[in-house]
Each structure stands twice: as structure tokens, then as C-alpha cells.
Amino acid sequence: AYRLLLDHFLRLKEAKARMQAALRGRETLVVWIAYCLSHAAAKAAHAELEDGNSFAVPLEWSALQHLVLDQIAASDALLRVSAYLRRHSTAGGGAPVFSLADEAGTFALAEKVARSQASICVIWRKEQQNAEARKKAHWEEVKRKQALARELRLEIEKWKGKRAEVDEAIKVLRRKYNPDGINDSRFSYSNEAINEANDQYEALSADLLHIKSTLEGHHSALKA
């Protein structure tokens, strides 16, 4: 919020009369104060942060000497922030926490807090159980699909064989009633022969359509 207000103020003509270095110095000080307050609140909630040999702040207190401040109140705040950071610095050997530059200390703190909290341990164990259940269910689904794929491949081969039989039956039917493949009125058949041929052809065509549909279904199931 402070940074937004400062950015808005710097766009105003009144900002030209103010020393930019002092404004930016105060901005940096406000950010560091916010970090100290957050660290103090976390320390009050989690005693693990009191251990200076394990955890420390990532900010270097000596860097504050480079700030330009134009008010006594800001200078007093700087001294207090500097003292706080110095008390919790990495000089004690602790790993920095709440830092994006080095997250190892933050993760170590999180693990230590989690192990000391019974409720968190319960959640962790439950999540481990759920993860195992999900992994088992996933593997069961994989095995089910593998078995289904084997069955479908066998079915596909069977239906391919039936399709070849139907294709051959249709060829035989055509050779029987029209050996030369000629469409000519000089070739005439009895009504009984024509009806028989039509019935056989329709039955074979229906079988072929069913086979094609079954094969498409099996192929889609294999891709799923």
C-alpha cells in the first residue's frame, strides 16, 4: 500500500520539490519494517525461530547505512530495525528464513514446526495414506486397461477374420450371378434367383456393417 501511494505521489508535480533519494530511502525502510513485524509475529507463534543457531533473518542490517533519510523519526526507526536484524542475523550460524534467494531455511523451519504440531502430523499421515490410495487406484486402472487392451486386440483380430470371410462371400455371390461383371439386359435370372441373391447380399452387407462398427468401437476403446 505504501509503495502504491508513493508511486502515485511521484507522478504529482508536488513531488518535484522533494528529494527523491529520501523518498526511496523511506520506502525501503518501510518494507524492512514490515519484514521485521512479520518475523516478530512468526516468532511469537513459533518458538523455533528463537533458536538463533538454526534460523536467522536474510536481511543484512549493515545495508541500512546507505539509506538517505530526511526525518529524525525515520532515522530512529532505522536504528531500531537495524538492532532487531542484528540480533537475528546469520552471524549466529542460523539459516535465513522467509527468503526467496535461499529457501532451504524456510523449508527446514516448516518441517520442524510440522513435526512439533500433532494436528499437522495427523494431516500429513492422512495425506500420505490418500496418496498411497491414489497411487494404488491408478495402478489398478492401468492393469485393467492393459487387460482390456489384450482382449480388444484379440477381438479385433477375430472380427478382421470375419470381415475377410464376408468380403469373400460377397465376391462369391457376385461371381455366381454375374461372373463377368456385366450389367446387360441379355442376362436374365428367375425371380427366385434374384430374391435369393438380394437376401444373401443384404445379410452379408449387414454383417459387414456390424463388423466395421465393432472394429471402430474396439479401436476407440484402445485409444481411451
Side-chain angles (χ1 to χ4, degrees):
Y2 183 87
R3 282 180 162 176
L4 291 176
L5 290 174
L6 178 61
D7 289 340
H8 177 72
F9 175 73
L10 291 175
R11 288 194 292 269
L12 302 177
K13 62 180 182 179
E14 290 83 354
K16 296 181 180 180
R18 302 291 298 274
M19 187 166 59
Q20 298 294 307
L23 293 174
R24 291 301 183 185
R26 188 184 302 178
E27 177 189 18
T28 301
L29 180 61
V30 168
V31 173
W32 283 39
I33 289 173
Y35 176 86
C36 291
L37 292 173
S38 299
H39 183 271
K43 187 176 66 171
H46 303 288
E48 291 82 3
L49 280 174
E50 293 285 359
D51 184 5
N53 294 323
S54 299
F55 306 109
V57 295
L59 304 179
E60 180 55 50
W61 62 272
S62 59
L64 291 172
Q65 64 181 323
H66 302 293
L67 295 186
V68 176
L69 301 173
D70 58 356
Q71 291 182 350
I72 295 177
S75 297
D76 290 342
L78 182 147
L79 293 175
R80 294 192 177 193
V81 169
S82 179
Y84 183 90
L85 295 176
R86 190 170 185 177
R87 287 198 307 272
H88 300 87
S89 70
T90 55
V97 293
F98 311 133
S99 169
L100 295 179
D102 183 1
E103 298 179 336
T106 304
F107 286 122
L109 173 64
E111 183 177 358
K112 192 171 184 178
V113 171
R115 292 184 182 280
S116 65
Q117 299 287 330
S119 59
I120 295 179
C121 290
V122 171
I123 294 173
W124 174 248
R125 284 193 295 270
K126 185 176 181 180
E127 180 55 33
Q128 284 184 315
Q129 293 171 356
N130 291 340
E132 285 297 324
R134 290 193 297 270
K135 184 167 65 175
K136 183 178 180 181
H138 174 72
W139 181 239
E140 291 296 330
E141 180 64 12
V142 169
K143 290 193 293 184
R144 185 190 70 81
K145 287 188 175 182
Q146 288 175 338
L148 177 62
R150 287 192 294 269
E151 293 176 5
L152 289 176
R153 290 190 182 98
L154 292 175
E155 282 288 312
I156 287 173
E157 292 303 318
K158 182 182 73 174
W159 284 104
K160 282 183 177 179
K162 289 186 177 181
R163 178 174 180 174
E165 292 175 4
V166 171
D167 286 339
E168 182 60 28
I170 290 175
K171 291 178 183 178
V172 170
L173 183 64
R174 286 172 176 167
R175 286 196 298 268
K176 177 180 178 181
Y177 289 98
N178 192 3
D180 299 319
I182 301 174
N183 184 16
D184 197 308
S185 58
R186 291 175 300 170
F187 293 88
S188 60
Y189 307 98
S190 65
N191 289 334
E192 182 180 352
I194 293 174
N195 291 336
E196 179 186 356
N198 286 335
D199 290 343
Q200 291 181 20
Y201 187 80
E202 288 178 3
L204 291 171
S205 297
D207 288 342
L208 185 60
L209 184 62
H210 174 67
I211 290 171
K212 287 181 178 179
S213 176
T214 303
L215 285 173
E216 289 176 0
H218 286 349
H219 281 299
S220 297
L222 277 176
K223 295 177 181 179

